[in-house]
Amino acid sequence: MECTLLGSGGMMPLPHRFLTALMVRLNGVSYLFDAGEGAQINLKRGGLGIKSLSVICVSHLHADHCLGIPGLLMLRSQVPDPGPLVILGPAGIKEFISQVQRTLDFFINYSIRFVEWDERAPETAYEDEQVRIRWAPLKHTTTCVGYRLEEHPRPGRFDVKAARTLGVPEGRLWGKLQRGEPVTLDHGGVIHPRQVLGPGRPGRSICYAVDTAVTKALYSLCRDVDMAFLDGMFHPLEQEEAVRKAHMTVDDAARVANRAGAKRVVLVH
């Protein structure tokens, strides 16, 4: 799992600090969390690719978190057969994107499925063969949603020595065994994954929760994650302003991550 911050700033993009956006890549599939103005620039700079983008998770409808989405949608339309896209977010995200597309009349060559959060929404917002994405409401000046991406349990580590001893040639068959599929050798023998894989491993997890005051849902989203990306907009001496604007101070964010058992925390915004 690879996590790349396309930006970590807030309010307005700066020449050397773009607005907060997080790209998570796993086995050739990309999951994007927020996209402020100019998100596509660092996407291109990083050589991350746009065709692999499968899901966009939007925290809230403030400009510095969503104005980059139309540009990304147009960029994705420039590649052949990009496949469907899912956009998760608060109520209003579908109307925002649809209105911009109608007004600008830009071309999209793929389907978009919108899933909007409301109080009746299930805990799981999205799931595919690799991950599950959970969401929960945060506490901001407008409806804001936090996310937790959980990788499904992984197979055990591949034992190269055992595979060679069993006569499995390196290459395609190793990949099938690592995916949990049995393989048949040229002489007809069948090798099962359990013969070359160690004990199963838990999936990795991340939390993305920005633009929020401390709230109970944060602890659930951060619980024992491998990495938490949290709002740390204000210095501790700016506590009153943080409360007024419904943000966290850096020590608020650090305290939440520590109490929730997050292994690492990255402060953004």
Side-chain angles (χ1 to χ4, degrees):
M1 184 182 291
E2 178 182 281
C3 298
T4 303
L5 276 171
L6 303 180
S8 61
M11 297 182 68
M12 69 181 214
L14 299 173
H16 303 293
R17 191 183 185 199
F18 280 67
L19 296 169
T20 302
L22 171 68
M23 178 73 84
V24 178
R25 298 201 299 170
L26 181 62
N27 299 322
V29 180
S30 297
Y31 309 86
L32 179 66
F33 295 82
D34 278 346
E37 300 164 69
Q40 59 185 309
I41 296 175
N42 277 343
L43 186 81
K44 296 290 286 185
R45 282 177 177 169
L48 299 177
I50 191 69
K51 185 173 182 177
S52 64
L53 181 59
S54 176
V55 181
I56 299 176
C57 304
V58 182
S59 62
H60 63 297
L61 294 176
H62 278 171
D64 55 343
H65 292 264
C66 64
L67 281 188
I69 297 175
L72 289 170
L73 299 184
M74 287 185 273
L75 179 63
R76 197 169 185 267
S77 294
Q78 296 176 23
V79 298
D81 191 27
L85 179 69
V86 176
I87 298 180
L88 312 176
I93 185 62
K94 179 178 181 179
E95 177 57 26
F96 165 65
I97 297 299
S98 300
Q99 181 62 60
V100 172
Q101 186 185 3
R102 287 195 300 269
T103 301
L104 301 183
D105 193 27
F106 60 81
F107 171 71
I108 289 183
N109 60 344
Y110 50 89
S111 64
I112 301 178
R113 179 169 69 90
F114 292 92
V115 183
E116 296 187 334
W117 183 88
D118 64 31
E119 294 180 353
R120 298 164 297 175
E123 181 184 32
T124 297
Y126 172 85
E127 189 165 10
D128 60 24
E129 61 183 14
Q130 294 199 118
V131 304
R132 176 176 73 152
I133 298 177
R134 294 169 45 200
W135 55 2
L138 300 178
K139 184 180 180 182
H140 193 42
T141 56
T142 188
T143 302
C144 187
V145 182
Y147 294 94
R148 179 186 175 104
L149 181 146
E150 301 172 335
E151 182 184 21
H152 296 321
R154 297 174 290 163
R157 296 189 183 279
F158 186 73
D159 189 333
V160 172
K161 183 178 180 180
R164 287 177 173 156
T165 300
L166 292 166
V168 184
E170 185 173 352
R172 182 178 59 85
L173 297 185
W174 281 21
K176 291 186 70 173
L177 287 166
Q178 287 174 310
R179 293 191 297 271
E181 305 171 26
V183 300
T184 302
L185 305 181
D186 289 341
H187 57 68
V190 177
I191 306 298
H192 295 276
R194 64 177 179 274
Q195 295 174 264
V196 295
L197 295 181
R201 295 172 291 167
R204 294 157 291 192
S205 58
I206 69 147
C207 167
Y208 178 85
V210 297
D211 285 38
T212 182
V214 176
T215 185
K216 184 177 179 180
L218 267 175
Y219 292 94
S220 175
L221 293 172
C222 286
R223 184 70 59 200
D224 298 325
V225 293
D226 292 282
M227 188 171 291
F229 295 84
L230 299 180
D231 173 31
M233 186 171 186
F234 288 98
H235 188 280
L237 296 178
E238 301 169 315
Q239 182 71 46
E240 289 185 9
E241 187 175 2
V243 171
R244 180 167 57 85
K245 294 184 176 180
H247 279 275
M248 288 192 288
T249 60
V250 293
D251 56 337
D252 286 334
R255 190 159 43 247
V256 168
N258 182 58
R259 290 177 178 174
K263 296 179 179 66
R264 299 178 70 185
V265 60
V266 178
L267 300 184
V268 296
H269 208 285

